[in-house]
């Protein structure tokens, strides 16, 4: 038999029962499209989060006060009866001693009422230094960022996020104006470009002031975080060792802080999401197995219904292999057609998700789309074997008698 | 109990044989063995020099395809295919190229007088026309033996006579014709009549006399 004749015969017999065939098609299509949609959700989430992280730069280390594991300084601290020390601006300044630290930025974060004239907004106030702009890759819409002064220097200046600037000034030029933050006043030196929620802060709704000013406003000697950028991805480990050594020495030999490497977090996230994506694909594939069982049932009925036709084919010179081939072809044509419909439907579903949530890039990974199709065809083949064998082994005499 | 018991039969090329007998006499089993659809449990069957016992499934299928044309009482046409496609079927199974296939099928249909009906489906054809499609399909591979199982059983007498005329003409052109029937008039038309009962050959009559 010629391949296209086999294909045409399978197609013809599938078309003989359009309702039954289309129901099976839908069953398979649902399976394949759910593989694609579910994995595209997981993959979209992964891309979103890793995108958020990568805007922060990959050679970033973040210092926070306290130990995340209790085995080290935590226990020691407990025995000595000493709580962990806060990080300070002096700790941050000391980091400059390491040759592997390109730049560092202390963060003092709080909420405050920011007002200009009669307009007032409650908003996040971020105290930091000039280096933070480079670490965050922030663009300016107008003016300049914080001056590169020493960390201790108080300076009545501020930089506004894009949204807060347009809300407070409503189109008026913000540069050079004095705004009020709590009890203090500062002059607007710059406005950040619109960026949306990039990084860990929503830079559109933010007021940035020098770290010393923020400590004064929030009445605290401590620092919330210290962001450190290593000179290169390769020097991350060296930078980390240096940071730990420098600050531990400053804290009387107690390592009462934590250093997090962003790429480590990112790779953890990626591996978690890879597992989630795989699990979702596997779960969705179960529906394909169910569709395969449906195919098997329907094909078994078809073999019974077409007994006399099978007998005829044998009388006309078809051997067992050919009968087997015809039925297997029928099952796989059906599964492939359902798979293609499901593929289109699944990609359409992902497109719909992207349209509704444009922030997240819902794309099924290629392997998941292909695996969905492959599992559909494979289940058609595997579950087609039993009915096809039964057909091929039919006794032509009995088959023709029906 | 055997369907066939110590049957010894030799059919020459181009012969016209009828096999007669009541139901259960073994005539259908006989036809299936001759048509390579069934194998004897013991004994030998040779077709065109091939001992059937030596052949596997696919060799048997190939021999059947090449040597034997079947006509059935209930026609056994594929309902979803046109007359032409039905006639093409044996060639499709053999893998003959589509163009040659269509030409040969059209020729076979024309030889049974059905050229104008080639695009009709079986449900658009009369019983006699369906059987003629089946004859075209049976002869399209140019077999040496035409096996007819009650070929007129489902037909009125006029269409039946037409079918008999066609197959007898094919026999005159050298095709061996074996008709299984319980119709004595039809059976007596053959040049050799085998009468069966209880799986045995009861009588083997040359030039039988048409019963009154």
């Amino acid at each position: 038999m010629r391949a296209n004749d086999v294909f045409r015969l399978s197609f013809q017999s599938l078309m003989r029962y359009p309702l039954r065939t289309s129901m099976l098609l839908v069953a398979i299509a649902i399976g394949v499209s759910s593989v694609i949609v579910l994995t595209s959700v997981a993959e979209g989430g992964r891309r979103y989060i890793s995108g958020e992280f990568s805007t922060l730069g990959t050679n970033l280390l973040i210092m926070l006060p306290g130990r995340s594991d209790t085995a080290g300084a935590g226990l020691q601290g407990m025995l000595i009866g000493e709580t962990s020390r806060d990080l300070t601006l002096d700790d941050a300044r000391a980091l400059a001693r390491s040759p592997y630290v390109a730049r560092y930025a202390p963060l003092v974060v709080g909420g405050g009422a920011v007002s200009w004239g009669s307009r007032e907004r409650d908003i996040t106030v971020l105290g930091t230094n000039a280096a933070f702009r480079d670490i965050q890759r922030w663009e300016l819409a107008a003016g300049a960022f914080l001056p590169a002064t020493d960390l201790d220097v108080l300076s009545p200046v501020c930089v506004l996020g894009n949204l807060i600037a347009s809300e407070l000034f409503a189109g008026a030029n913000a540069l050079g104006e004095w705004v009020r933050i709590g009890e203090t006043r500062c002059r607007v030196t710059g406005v950040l470009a619109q960026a949306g929620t990039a990084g860990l802060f929503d830079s559109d709704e933010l007021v940035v002031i020098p770290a010393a000013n923020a400590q004064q406003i929030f009445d605290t000697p401590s620092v919330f975080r210290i962001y450190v950028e290593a000179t290169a991805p390769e020097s991350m480990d060296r930078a980390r060792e240096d940071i730990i050594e420098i600050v531990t020495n400053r804290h009387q030999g107690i390592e009462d802080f934590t250093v997090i490497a962003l790429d480590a977090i990112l790779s953890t996230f990626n591996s978690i999401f890879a597992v989630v994506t795989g699990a979702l694909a596997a779960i969705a594939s179960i529906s394909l197995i169910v569709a395969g069982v449906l195919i098997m049932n329907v094909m078994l009925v078809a073999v019974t219904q077409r007994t006399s036709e099978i007998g005829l084919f044998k009388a006309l010179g078809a051997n067992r292999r050919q009968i087997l081939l015809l039925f297997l072809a029928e099952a796989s044509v059906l599964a492939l057609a359902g798979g293609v419909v499901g593929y289109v439907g699944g990609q359409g579903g992902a497109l719909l998700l992207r349209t509704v949530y444009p922030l997240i890039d819902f794309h099924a990974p290629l392997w998941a789309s292909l695996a969905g199709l492959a599992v559909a065809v494979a289940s058609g083949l595997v579950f087609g074997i039993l009915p096809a064998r039964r057909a091929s082994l039919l006794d032509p005499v009995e088959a023709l008698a029906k | 109990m055997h369907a066939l018991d110590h049957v010894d039969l030799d059919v020459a090329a181009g012969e016209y044989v009828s096999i007669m007998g009541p139901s259960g006499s073994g005539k259908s089993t006989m036809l299936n063995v001759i048509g390579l659809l069934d194998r004897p449990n013991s004994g030998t069957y040779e077709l065109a020099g091939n001992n059937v016992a030596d052949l596997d499934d696919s060799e048997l299928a190939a021999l059947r395809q090449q040597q034997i044309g079947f006509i059935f009482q209930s026609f056994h046409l594929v309902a979803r295919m046109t007359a032409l496609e039905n006639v093409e079927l044996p060639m499709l199974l053999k893998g003959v190229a589509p163009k040659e296939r269509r030409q040969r099928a059209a020729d076979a249909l024309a030889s049974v007088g059905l050229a104008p009906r080639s695009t009709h489906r079986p449900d658009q054809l009369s019983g006699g026309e369906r059987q003629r499609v089946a004859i075209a399909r049976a002869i399209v591979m140019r077999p040496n033996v035409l096996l007819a199982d009650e070929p007129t059983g489902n037909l009125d007498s006029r269409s039946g006579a037409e079918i008999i005329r066609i197959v007898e003409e094919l026999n005159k052109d050298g095709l061996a014709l074996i008709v299984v029937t319980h119709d004595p008039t039809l059976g007596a038309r053959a040049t050799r009549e085998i009468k069966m009962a209880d799986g045995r050959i009861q009588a083997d009559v040359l030039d039988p006399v048409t019963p009154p």
Side-chain angles (χ1 to χ4, degrees), chain A residues 75-363:
Chain A
L75 182 65
Q76 200 181 347
M78 244 157 58
L79 292 176
I80 301 168
E82 182 190 51
T83 54
S84 72
R85 221 181 269 248
D86 285 334
L87 292 169
T88 62
L89 291 180
D90 288 333
D91 288 334
R93 199 172 8 223
L95 299 178
R97 292 210 296 266
S98 165
Y100 302 107
V101 171
R103 50 176 80 88
Y104 59 89
L107 263 60
V108 180
V109 181
V114 178
S115 62
W116 184 69
S118 59
R119 296 197 188 88
E120 185 178 287
R121 281 282 314 267
D122 271 319
I123 203 158
T124 306
V125 176
L126 177 67
T128 185
N129 62 357
F132 195 58
R133 180 195 165 189
D134 302 316
I135 292 173
Q136 291 283 59
R137 318 268 190 278
W138 275 344
E139 301 289 331
L140 284 169
F145 199 67
L146 301 177
T149 52
D150 192 83
L151 285 175
D152 286 339
V153 175
L154 285 162
S155 154
V157 293
C158 56
V159 177
L160 300 183
N162 200 278
L163 187 65
I164 183 68
S166 59
E167 279 177 357
L168 282 183
F169 291 91
N173 187 8
L175 291 184
E177 294 294 328
W178 287 85
V179 296
R180 182 170 281 283
I181 301 174
E183 303 298 310
T184 63
R185 296 195 329 141
C186 61
R187 188 194 285 274
V188 178
T189 60
V191 175
L192 292 173
Q194 198 173 350
T197 314
L200 299 180
F201 296 98
D202 182 355
S203 65
D204 288 343
E205 299 198 64
L206 196 67
V207 175
V208 187
I209 57 175
N213 294 57
Q215 283 187 329
Q216 199 177 55
I217 291 172
F218 300 124
D219 190 21
T220 173
S222 69
V223 164
F224 174 65
R225 296 282 185 272
I226 302 173
Y227 278 34
V228 183
E229 198 177 291
T231 46
E234 303 81 59
S235 49
M236 288 279 278
D237 290 338
R238 299 288 194 79
R240 184 194 185 97
E241 285 164 22
D242 281 3
I243 289 170
I244 291 172
E245 195 190 320
I246 291 167
V247 181
T248 303
N249 282 339
R250 291 182 47 81
H251 288 203
Q252 275 87 43
I254 301 169
E255 193 185 327
D256 54 0
F257 54 90
T258 305
V259 180
I260 302 167
L262 212 59
D263 62 341
I265 300 178
L266 189 60
S267 70
T268 307
F269 260 106
N270 274 335
S271 53
I272 290 172
F273 267 92
V275 172
V276 169
T277 309
L280 284 175
I283 290 166
S285 298
I286 292 174
S287 60
L288 285 173
I289 310 277
V290 174
V293 175
L294 281 180
I295 292 181
M296 179 167 72
N297 273 305
V298 170
M299 297 286 291
L300 282 173
V301 173
V303 170
T304 316
Q305 278 178 338
R306 275 151 55 185
T307 300
S308 71
E309 186 183 309
I310 296 160
L312 171 74
F313 273 50
K314 290 195 166 183
L316 296 180
N319 55 36
R320 278 185 207 142
R321 208 179 46 79
Q322 287 178 313
I323 302 284
L324 191 79
L325 183 69
L326 280 173
F327 274 83
L328 278 184
E330 203 171 311
S332 34
V333 164
L334 182 67
L336 185 65
V340 169
V341 170
Y343 180 84
V344 172
Q347 298 295 357
L351 181 68
L352 189 72
L353 280 175
R354 288 199 294 276
T355 317
V356 178
Y357 304 101
L359 211 57
I360 303 178
D361 184 24
F362 291 106
H363 263 113

Side-chain angles (χ1 to χ4, degrees), chain A residues 5 309 314 320 322 397, chain B residues 32 57 64 80 93 101:
Chain A
D5 285 332
E309 186 183 309
K314 290 195 166 183
R320 278 185 207 142
Q322 287 178 313
V397 177
Chain B
N32 290 328
D57 172 73
R64 190 187 305 138
R80 60 182 184 274
L93 290 168
R101 210 157 74 192

Side-chain angles (χ1 to χ4, degrees), chain B residues 17-199:
Chain B
V17 181
S18 67
I19 300 175
M20 300 208 34
S23 57
S25 61
K27 61 182 193 308
S28 289
T29 310
M30 183 82 150
L31 185 87
N32 290 328
V33 170
I34 297 172
L36 303 172
L37 293 175
D38 214 345
R39 278 196 233 218
N41 300 86
S42 62
T44 56
Y45 169 39
E46 272 188 34
L47 174 64
N50 298 282
N51 186 353
V52 168
D54 299 338
L55 305 178
D56 65 19
D57 172 73
S58 64
E59 290 167 329
L60 215 55
L63 188 63
R64 190 187 305 138
Q65 190 165 55
Q66 162 198 330
Q67 292 288 339
I68 293 169
F70 284 93
I71 309 173
F72 307 95
Q73 178 173 4
S74 50
F75 322 131
H76 281 308
L77 299 181
V78 181
R80 60 182 184 274
M81 296 182 179
T82 64
L84 190 75
E85 285 171 332
N86 266 287
V87 179
E88 279 185 51
L89 207 49
M91 293 183 282
L92 184 149
L93 290 168
K94 203 190 173 192
V96 175
K99 207 173 158 188
E100 184 192 344
R101 210 157 74 192
R102 220 158 293 135
Q103 185 57 49
R104 278 169 63 182
D107 291 347
L109 272 179
S111 75
V112 296
L114 273 187
R117 291 264 191 265
S118 59
T119 57
H120 290 223
R121 286 177 201 284
D123 56 5
Q124 299 165 313
L125 299 171
S126 72
E129 287 171 330
R130 289 184 209 180
Q131 195 61 300
R132 283 195 276 166
V133 173
I135 294 171
R137 184 180 62 193
I139 60 172
V140 78
M141 299 299 286
R142 300 186 192 103
N144 290 320
V145 185
L146 185 60
L147 288 181
D149 188 1
E150 299 284 8
T152 60
N154 282 3
L155 299 175
D156 59 64
S157 53
R158 246 193 64 221
S159 325
E162 172 68 7
I163 294 304
I164 294 305
R165 189 187 64 74
I166 292 172
V167 293
E168 287 182 352
E169 223 153 77
L170 289 165
N171 173 245
K172 279 195 193 98
D173 294 342
L175 181 65
L177 175 60
I178 301 177
V179 180
V180 169
T181 181
H182 60 258
D183 175 1
T185 320
L186 178 54
R189 293 183 66 91
T191 52
R192 182 179 172 193
E193 190 181 60
I194 314 276
K195 286 203 168 109
M196 295 194 67
D198 301 328

Side-chain angles (χ1 to χ4, degrees), chain A residues 5-51:
Chain A
D5 285 332
V6 173
F7 178 77
R8 206 163 46 82
L9 281 180
S10 330
F11 190 72
Q12 266 184 348
S13 31
L14 287 172
M15 292 312 283
R16 197 155 51 140
Y17 302 101
L19 183 68
R20 191 162 80 184
T21 300
S22 45
M23 291 316 243
L24 283 177
L25 212 77
V26 166
I28 300 158
I30 287 174
V32 173
S33 59
S34 51
V35 169
I36 291 174
V37 169
L38 286 178
T39 53
S40 75
V41 168
E43 178 70 4
R46 188 191 69 76
R47 286 192 198 188
Y48 177 73
I49 288 177
S50 75

